[in-house]
Amino acid sequence: MKQRTPVFVNIAIIIGLLIIFYYLFVQSYAFFKSPYFWGTVVIGSIMAYIHSAIGDLVENNKFKKLSNEEKAAYLAEKKVPYFQRLYAAAFKKQSDTQEKDILIDHGFDGIMELDNQLPKWWVGLFWFGTAFMILYISAYAFTDFASPLKEYEVEYREQEASIAKFMADQPPITIESAEFSEDNIAAGEEVFKTNCVSCHSEGGKGGIGPNLTDNFWHNQPEKTLFKNVFHVVENGVTGTAMQAWGKNGVLSGNEIQNVAAYVYSINQMKKPITPAEGGAPPYGDEAKWEKK
Ligand code: HEC
């Protein structure tokens, strides 16, 4: 008579499988806090106990039918701890008579083939894998479960929504809150190329509008260069071709902050483009900007 697997091993296997399944569907370990998880653990354990109790009854019945010798052998084997028995079983060899019973009558080159029974754990894993595969493939093919395209779309939309929310929550940039940042120069250059280059020429060297790379400024309403550019772009210069980009609603506060960073960079972080190099001649007074 065969020895049975102790109930604690079955429970450990059930809990292990539950963790794998929950993780698959939840995609995080948050389920450890869920009553559903612990509910299924309790139900699984109770089922394992019931299964083991039925097994005990069957075992008792079978035991009664054994001869005294068989009973003694069975009880002796039962005393060996489960894992020790499992380990020993891995190296057990059939006796010659047992082997004769399961010998398949074809061999080759002296190698014989035995019709051994497949280990229970192997068969179990095989059927588990087959069921899992059918479930998973049909879920993958016909539902939204684990569909990468669907997941991408959902995440993409969530991110767009959170960006939109961030932008909406952001207070509009005004001359008071505007700040110079090197990170804005590249975006500012794009604004400049679209809106300003027609009058101020490439690199701000000047044309219809004045040279923005030199230190001569006709309009100096503010004390620092960055705020000054912001001010002129927002309010324009009345009576000239320089319109009020901010007041007219053409550029947002954010765009003015960017383009002001760009103008600041060509004025302070690069050499001025002189008339000899094709720049427009100085216009206005020499400026003495405060640092910040
Ligand atoms: C239609 C032509 C035109 C466009 C487009 C234009 N400007 Fe101007 N801009 C001018 C003129 C003309 C002046 C000189 C105004 C004056 O006489 O004070 C000027 C002046 C300025 C000044 C002040 C210069 C100084 O010496 O006081 C700045 C800064 C400036 N523009 C930035 C920009 C930026 C940034 C843009 C793009 C968003 C832009 N401009 C687009 C024509 C233009």
Side-chain angles (χ1 to χ4, degrees):
M1 194 161 83
K2 276 198 163 177
Q3 299 289 343
R4 291 178 23 247
T5 312
V7 67
F8 75 87
V9 174
N10 286 336
I11 290 178
I13 292 173
I14 289 171
I15 294 177
L17 288 177
L18 281 174
I19 290 175
I20 293 173
F21 269 114
Y22 272 89
Y23 187 80
L24 258 172
F25 284 95
V26 182
Q27 306 268 307
S28 84
Y29 288 109
F31 62 80
F32 276 124
K33 293 195 195 106
S34 149
Y36 290 106
F37 173 72
W38 293 107
T40 39
V41 166
V42 170
I43 292 171
S45 308
I46 292 173
M47 305 267 269
Y49 267 108
I50 294 174
H51 172 257
S52 144
I54 296 172
D56 282 343
L57 289 178
V58 176
E59 190 178 307
N60 279 344
N61 265 333
K62 280 189 184 168
F63 188 75
K64 280 181 201 147
K65 290 175 194 148
L66 295 181
S67 70
N68 281 344
E69 271 166 44
E70 284 171 327
K71 278 181 187 170
Y74 178 77
L75 289 177
E77 197 189 354
K78 200 172 183 172
K79 278 201 195 110
V80 183
Y82 172 72
F83 288 107
Q84 195 180 329
R85 227 187 297 139
L86 202 68
Y87 182 78
F91 300 99
K92 207 172 83 182
K93 274 191 81 181
Q94 278 106 343
S95 67
D96 285 351
T97 41
Q98 276 173 327
E99 212 168 271
K100 213 167 250 163
D101 290 341
I102 55 171
L103 194 66
I104 300 173
D105 71 347
H106 59 76
F108 182 76
D109 217 6
I111 298 169
M112 294 305 195
E113 199 178 336
L114 299 182
D115 187 13
N116 273 314
Q117 253 191 12
L118 290 164
K120 284 260 166 49
W121 65 264
W122 193 96
V123 179
L125 210 60
F126 174 78
W127 286 117
F128 169 77
T130 309
F132 185 80
M133 186 243 341
I134 292 170
L135 251 170
Y136 191 89
I137 288 190
S138 36
Y140 187 85
F142 304 116
T143 74
D144 285 343
F145 172 71
S147 159
L149 291 178
K150 186 79 197 168
E151 279 175 13
Y152 174 78
E153 208 176 286
V154 169
E155 273 178 33
Y156 181 76
R157 263 202 239 114
E158 276 172 6
Q159 280 186 4
E160 278 210 319
S162 76
I163 293 172
K165 189 176 177 312
F166 176 79
M167 293 307 247
D169 290 351
Q170 214 63 5
I173 291 168
T174 62
I175 189 152
E176 283 82 31
S177 64
E179 271 176 26
F180 171 77
S181 160
E182 287 198 15
D183 299 341
N184 296 335
I185 295 175
E189 186 169 3
E190 292 309 311
V191 178
F192 192 87
K193 279 182 181 157
T194 320
N195 300 288
C196 324
V197 102
S198 52
C199 294
H200 291 281
S201 305
E202 307 92 70
K205 66 180 180 185
I208 299 166
N211 190 335
L212 299 177
T213 68
D214 63 16
N215 201 29
F216 291 88
W217 290 78
H218 189 231
N219 302 276
Q220 301 191 20
E222 300 284 333
K223 293 196 181 81
T224 68
L225 172 59
F226 178 75
K227 295 262 158 140
N228 196 66
V229 176
F230 195 108
H231 186 120
V232 176
V233 177
E234 185 175 32
N235 300 292
V237 184
T238 327
T240 72
M242 180 64 187
Q243 65 155 311
W245 300 86
K247 289 267 152 72
N248 293 350
V250 185
L251 297 180
S252 69
N254 191 35
E255 286 167 318
I256 299 178
Q257 176 172 255
N258 289 344
V259 81
Y262 174 69
V263 173
Y264 181 94
S265 79
I266 57 174
N267 190 277
Q268 296 291 304
M269 294 148 79
K270 284 186 177 161
K271 277 203 206 142
I273 304 173
T274 61
E277 291 162 335
Y283 178 57
D285 303 324
E286 190 156 15
K288 291 189 183 68
W289 302 116
E290 284 177 14
K291 278 291 161 210
K292 244 172 215 174

